Structure formats: C-alpha cells, structure tokens
Amino acid sequence: QVQLVESGGGLVQSGASLRLSCAASGLTLDLNYYAIGWFRQAPGKEREGVSCMSASDGSTNYAESVKGRFTISRDYAKNTVYLQMNSLKPEDTGVYFCAAEKYGTNWCLPRAYDSWGQGTQVTVSS
C-alpha cells in the first residue's frame, strides 16, 4: 500500500517561499510510473488541485492561481516529490496534500487519485 508523508509546511509572511516534500513508500513500481498531485484545502472550501505531474511523460499541470509561482518536481532516487512555492500569498493558505495514482495523467482532480497523505499546514500572513 502506497504511503505518502508530507512535510515542509509552516507559517510565513506574504512574499516568502516554502518547499513542500512528499516522501513515498510502499510503491510497487518506480515513482515515474505514478502520477503525483499536490492539492490544498482551505477552511470551508473544497479540496482543489494545485499542481500535478503525469506518470508517463512527467508533463505538468498547474492551477491558474499558482502558475509562475509554484513548481512541482520529483526525485526518483529519493522517491520524493516536491512543491516549490514562491511569492506566497494569503490566499495560498490551507492544508496541502500530496496524492499518487499508478499510471495516472496530470489531470488534477482529487477523484483521479486513490493514495493520499495526511497533509501539511501552510499559513501565509499578510
């Protein structure tokens, strides 16, 4: 069973940067056979896709609100996926989750993923 553990969240001021990490274990295939997604959920709101990377060609997909500020990447040797977040804004506040789906695409919708981490809190103050 795939296990995902997020880390790197915290409380920062507007304009700061954070790098989230998602360590994957229990994979039955190499990490490149899994689509990986980062999602976030603010209080009272639905979980939304932030950035996703496909299994096949590593193509990426970003929410319009984070384009040019966030970058998703993965380290195959460490079985770890990252989300580099720059120029953070208060509206980026929420719990950030990583998710994985074997052979998945970069379709960044929660229902496309079946393995989830517990989440890490990101709070951006103005």
Side-chain angles (χ1 to χ4, degrees):
Q1 185 174 353
V2 176
Q3 292 185 324
L4 304 170
V5 179
E6 302 94 336
S7 60
L11 170 62
V12 297
Q13 291 189 330
S14 182
S17 298
L18 281 174
R19 189 178 77 159
L20 305 183
S21 300
C22 173
S25 61
L27 303 176
T28 57
L29 297 171
D30 289 342
L31 184 61
N32 57 303
Y33 287 96
Y34 290 81
I36 299 293
W38 283 99
F39 299 81
R40 67 186 179 193
Q41 188 164 18
K45 294 188 177 181
E46 293 187 352
R47 192 169 298 187
E48 64 172 348
V50 175
S51 180
C52 296
M53 178 180 285
S54 72
S56 56
D57 59 4
S59 59
T60 57
N61 189 7
Y62 292 91
E64 285 295 327
S65 60
V66 306
K67 280 184 179 178
R69 300 189 297 123
F70 290 13
T71 303
I72 188 172
S73 62
R74 56 189 175 186
D75 185 327
Y76 299 115
K78 296 182 179 180
N79 273 356
T80 299
V81 180
Y82 302 99
L83 184 67
Q84 178 66 44
M85 306 187 296
N86 299 328
S87 302
L88 283 162
K89 304 175 181 180
E91 51 264 43
D92 294 319
T93 294
V95 179
Y96 282 69
F97 301 87
C98 70
E101 175 69 18
K102 193 183 296 184
Y103 306 127
T105 70
N106 63 9
W107 193 32
C108 215
L109 290 177
R111 64 175 182 266
Y113 292 80
D114 60 10
S115 297
W116 290 83
Q118 295 298 309
T120 185
Q121 176 71 44
V122 172
T123 304
V124 185
S125 63
S126 57

